[in-house]
Amino acid sequence: MQWILQRFEDTEKLAPALDRLGLAYSFHKVVPFVGELEPAPTINDPDSVIFFGSYTLWRYAEKHRLRPGVFKLRPFLHEAPWRPHMLNADARTLPLADIPKHLATDDTAHFFRPVDDSKEIAGRVLTGAEIVEIAQKVLALPPEDIPRGALRPETEMMLAAPTRIQKEWRLWVVNDLIITASLYKEGARVTYREDLDDDARSFANTLIQANPNYARAYVMYICRTATGLHLLETNCINAAGFYAADLTKLAAALEALIPH
């Protein structure tokens, strides 16, 4: 495949792996607000192109009909087979426009993120007052002044009670196989190492088997809490940080998706 990389510190980590595998790649900048690439890539085969960088690259891939391009995902919260295993299975969802009407402006903490894997805002714990302030700022803008890819009044949001996480892992899944995994957090400490507890691997495989073909390639987060192992969320594989993943294994697995 032809690998098109938006120049980030993280995507630059891919280059040595691609060199080891003898795969063609190029680095580009994304023109703000326009979404075109500089320099414009020369496409050899539109059915054999993959992107890594910001999530918004999906627009470029679709505009130019490049495949596989970016692996977009259905909202993980709507995947019925996974629902019983989710950390935030009891989360409530509502459009951003409804938040000021339904959320108290107090110090109660909520985990807050878009339902869709659209990257308008990173999931994080905020107070009710902070969340309402975000919503009100968006609602105060005329629709034409809201940048593409930003929160909008109709963006479906998720609100859940925060939970203390003991360990958190990011797993890279290709063709329903765990290709590589990285510890992300241990307690309150951010800790990157290629590591996955045996029971966590077994749990992740159970999730994958319960919901096969969710996507040809995606990133899954699982975590350990006082109540056991849980699915935290899924993310687009093209726009997820690599942490301590084995990038040679990942690139080889993605390359194998396209017949040669």
Side-chain angles (χ1 to χ4, degrees):
M1 278 194 295
Q2 184 175 351
W3 293 65
I4 296 179
L5 312 178
Q6 183 178 357
R7 191 174 288 278
F8 286 148
E9 180 182 353
D10 225 39
T11 53
E12 288 179 350
K13 297 174 185 175
L14 261 176
L18 298 175
D19 286 333
R20 280 192 290 274
L21 295 168
L23 301 176
Y25 64 91
S26 55
F27 284 103
H28 305 264
K29 293 182 180 179
V30 176
V31 181
F33 307 110
V34 178
E36 291 299 313
L37 300 182
E38 288 184 348
T42 300
I43 303 301
N44 302 320
D45 178 358
D47 292 321
S48 186
V49 182
I50 191 168
F51 292 80
F52 272 83
S54 63
Y55 181 72
T56 56
L57 285 168
W58 73 264
R59 295 191 179 93
Y60 186 94
E62 292 201 354
K63 177 181 178 182
H64 297 276
R65 299 181 181 180
L66 304 175
R67 299 289 182 269
V70 173
F71 298 96
K72 295 177 69 178
L73 305 179
R74 301 187 300 268
F76 77 98
L77 202 61
H78 297 163
E79 297 297 301
W82 286 343
R83 192 87 185 173
H85 307 286
M86 292 179 189
L87 179 65
N88 299 313
D90 58 348
R92 57 173 168 156
T93 62
L94 69 169
L96 187 74
D98 290 350
I99 283 176
K101 295 180 286 187
H102 296 285
L103 192 65
T105 54
D106 58 18
D107 291 332
T108 302
H110 306 268
F111 179 70
F112 179 65
R113 62 154 282 172
V115 172
D116 201 1
D117 180 35
S118 46
K119 308 294 184 188
E120 295 104 328
I121 186 174
R124 58 186 187 269
V125 175
L126 298 170
T127 67
E130 290 170 329
I131 294 169
V132 169
E133 182 181 2
I134 289 171
Q136 288 173 335
K137 285 180 178 178
V138 173
L139 296 175
L141 293 172
E144 62 272 16
D145 288 349
I146 299 176
R148 187 168 64 169
L151 289 174
R152 307 187 71 84
E154 63 273 19
T155 305
E156 196 76 6
M157 305 301 296
M158 181 180 94
L159 293 165
T163 303
R164 187 177 297 277
I165 293 175
Q166 298 170 356
K167 277 188 174 183
E168 183 176 333
W169 295 271
R170 177 175 284 182
L171 290 68
W172 286 260
V173 180
V174 180
N175 268 351
D176 289 339
L177 296 174
I178 299 169
I179 304 302
T180 183
S182 174
L183 183 68
Y184 170 47
K185 280 185 180 178
E186 194 164 17
R189 293 182 296 116
V190 174
T191 305
Y192 300 158
R193 67 174 181 267
E194 192 179 4
D195 175 57
L196 184 61
D197 293 350
D198 289 343
D199 63 337
R201 181 179 296 275
S202 178
F203 174 71
N205 277 318
T206 298
L207 293 175
I208 294 165
Q209 292 161 17
N211 196 18
N213 304 313
Y214 170 62
R216 295 177 73 193
Y218 62 100
V219 168
M220 173 186 285
Y221 289 83
I222 62 173
C223 65
R224 188 187 303 282
T225 73
T227 59
L229 292 162
H230 303 276
L231 170 65
L232 192 56
E233 62 181 359
T234 62
N235 275 177
C236 172
I237 201 168
N238 310 76
F242 295 128
Y243 303 152
D246 185 324
L247 297 184
T248 302
K249 286 182 181 177
L250 177 61
L254 290 169
E255 188 70 17
L257 290 174
I258 303 298
H260 296 282

